[in-house]
Amino acid sequence: MKYVDEFRDGALAKSIAARIVRAAAAGRRYHFMEFCGGHTHAMSRYGLTDLLPRNVVMVHGPGCPVCVLPVGRIDMAIELARRAGVVLCTYADCVRVPASEGLSLMKAKAQGADIRMVYSAADALRIAQEEPRREVVFFAIGFETTTPPTALVVKRAAELGMANFSVFCNHVLTPSAIAHILESPEVRELGSVAIDGFVGPAHVSTVIGSQPYEYFAEEYRKPVVIAGFEPLDVLQAVEMLVCQVNEGRAEVENEFSRAVSREGNARAKALVAEVFELRRVFEWRGLGKVPYSALKLKERWAQFDAERRFGMSERSVPDHKACECGAILRGVKRPADCRVFGTACTPATPMGSCMVSSEGACAAHYTYGRYRSAA
């Protein structure tokens, strides 16, 4: 198949679903975590869970970069944006994430902070070029998919001698989060769920390849199937996971072979390695402090590090007491388990990041699944 509509063929979807029903052993339950928020939305949008047998349970994972950013980092961004002469450039899905004291970047903008929504890191650099008397900070966020563009724009800023441009770096790493879910005592104390395998992320894997997941298959005996975001991609990945569990295998399989290789994108990885290095520890919403799970600029590029330039300090701020976003990101609870879901917490009035982001599990369930659950 080579056209998008072929990957949305209803008859083929029912055929794959029927094979899953036949393959799933009646006497056991299968728990598979779709790590990426893109898969969560695909499953909700296309009603894929309705096609699966009851003993195949899909668990939402923490693969939404906006969702996993803790309140403290949003507070830091707001504090930065409120400084005189600073322009904070951010992606649109960050502006409505709730922060402390009922604030958000959008509310801070309404109060006078110069916060501008951009489509890319290059847009932020362009603003810095157009307004040389302002300090322009790019609020960099995302998994391995969006890290190379940030690295590229830092190198370009150095080439242009841009003294008024910097990056507030919040790039996080997929393999570290998976390892933390599987082995961290902190996460187990907060609540855990049985996981028999993972649907591996698509876009992230185009950059890092399939090789990093081999550790989880070998060390933890958890199969991983990398899948695209179309309905047939996800269903085929679930079928492949069921077959692996039935056969006692734990391997990395690549359903998304049309875009992902074992080695990944060598040029992108080299670019990231040139500009970034690992943070010793980074706080994730729902997962706590995860060792070596995020990136920061290397010393060579320190002049473009907003945290160093503005003397910013880390802070840890608890989530709203009524919000279950942390438990949902760990897969312990589902959106409908939260007592404020769909009432006090909606996309118009979010109390947690999972209801804000286009990849958030709560946003997906609110948009596509809440009536089905009620029925």
Side-chain angles (χ1 to χ4, degrees):
M1 298 186 294
K2 59 181 179 179
Y3 300 112
V4 169
D5 57 350
E6 294 177 304
F7 289 91
R8 301 177 182 177
D9 187 298
L12 278 175
K14 291 179 180 179
S15 174
I16 298 174
R19 295 205 304 263
I20 295 173
V21 171
R22 290 193 297 270
R28 70 176 304 167
R29 287 175 68 83
Y30 304 78
H31 294 86
F32 301 130
M33 175 176 279
E34 80 272 4
F35 182 90
C36 184
H39 289 132
T40 299
H41 269 256
M43 297 194 71
S44 295
R45 177 182 179 185
Y46 297 107
L48 301 185
T49 51
D50 293 344
L51 298 177
L52 299 177
R54 288 184 177 273
N55 60 333
V56 176
V57 180
M58 301 305 297
V59 180
H60 305 319
C64 164
V66 174
C67 301
V68 300
L69 198 65
V71 175
R73 299 294 289 188
I74 301 294
D75 285 352
M76 290 170 68
I78 292 173
E79 180 183 300
L80 185 59
R82 284 175 160 174
R83 291 178 180 246
V86 170
V87 178
L88 183 73
C89 296
T90 177
Y91 295 130
D93 53 358
C94 294
V95 297
R96 295 175 60 248
V97 177
S100 298
E101 301 176 0
L103 283 174
S104 65
L105 287 169
M106 180 174 285
K107 291 179 180 178
K109 178 179 175 65
Q111 293 173 358
D114 194 344
I115 299 171
R116 307 185 194 180
M117 288 173 278
V118 295
Y119 288 104
S120 69
D123 288 344
L125 185 61
R126 175 182 51 78
I127 292 172
Q129 291 176 284
E130 294 172 352
E131 302 187 34
R133 296 185 179 180
R134 305 292 300 278
E135 284 282 355
V136 178
V137 182
F138 175 55
F139 187 3
I141 186 172
F143 286 97
E144 292 89 342
T145 314
T146 56
T147 306
T150 303
L152 191 62
V153 82
V154 168
K155 289 191 65 176
R156 183 58 177 159
E159 292 170 0
L160 295 172
M162 301 292 296
N164 66 323
F165 178 78
S166 59
V167 171
F168 178 38
C169 185
N170 295 275
H171 287 300
V172 289
L173 304 174
T174 304
S176 301
I178 295 176
H180 203 65
I181 289 170
L182 291 173
E183 68 180 13
S184 168
E186 291 85 357
V187 171
R188 287 200 294 271
E189 288 174 5
L190 293 168
S192 60
V193 65
I195 299 173
D196 298 305
F198 291 90
V199 177
H203 293 157
V204 164
S205 301
T206 63
V207 176
I208 67 174
S210 63
Q211 188 274 333
Y213 307 109
E214 293 173 4
Y215 170 76
F216 306 109
E218 296 170 1
E219 184 72 16
Y220 299 102
R221 301 301 299 165
K222 303 293 183 183
V224 179
V225 176
I226 298 165
F229 290 129
E230 296 302 326
L232 298 191
D233 286 320
V234 179
L235 285 174
Q236 186 174 356
V238 172
E239 181 186 14
M240 294 164 73
L241 285 169
V242 169
C243 290
Q244 284 209 49
V245 171
N246 287 348
E247 296 167 10
R249 292 186 291 119
E251 302 172 4
V252 176
E253 293 185 311
N254 183 12
E255 185 278 336
F256 199 37
S257 57
R258 61 187 185 275
V260 173
S261 65
R262 183 177 183 274
E263 295 75 21
N265 188 321
R267 292 184 65 183
K269 291 194 295 184
L271 179 62
V272 170
E274 180 183 356
V275 176
F276 292 104
E277 64 184 6
L278 289 172
R279 292 179 185 262
R280 191 183 64 80
V281 68
F282 190 81
E283 183 180 357
W284 293 52
R285 189 190 299 257
L287 299 183
K289 294 184 177 180
V290 184
Y292 304 108
S293 64
L295 299 173
K296 64 178 181 179
L297 293 176
K298 287 183 173 179
E299 188 66 33
R300 175 185 174 187
W301 313 97
Q303 68 189 91
F304 301 107
D305 187 337
E307 293 180 69
R308 301 191 197 192
R309 177 177 293 194
F310 296 99
M312 301 169 71
S313 58
E314 288 280 351
R315 65 195 67 179
S316 183
V317 181
D319 291 344
H320 193 290
K321 291 182 179 180
C323 178
E324 297 284 5
C325 187
I328 291 166
L329 288 168
R330 294 194 306 276
V332 178
K333 293 188 176 182
R334 294 179 176 274
D337 296 332
C338 180
R339 63 181 181 274
V340 296
F341 173 81
T343 54
C345 184
T346 68
T349 58
M351 296 181 69
S353 56
C354 295
M355 186 62 87
V356 176
S357 173
S358 59
E359 294 188 356
C362 293
H365 190 65
Y366 186 91
T367 304
Y368 303 113
R370 67 189 193 278
Y371 298 119
R372 184 182 298 111
S373 295

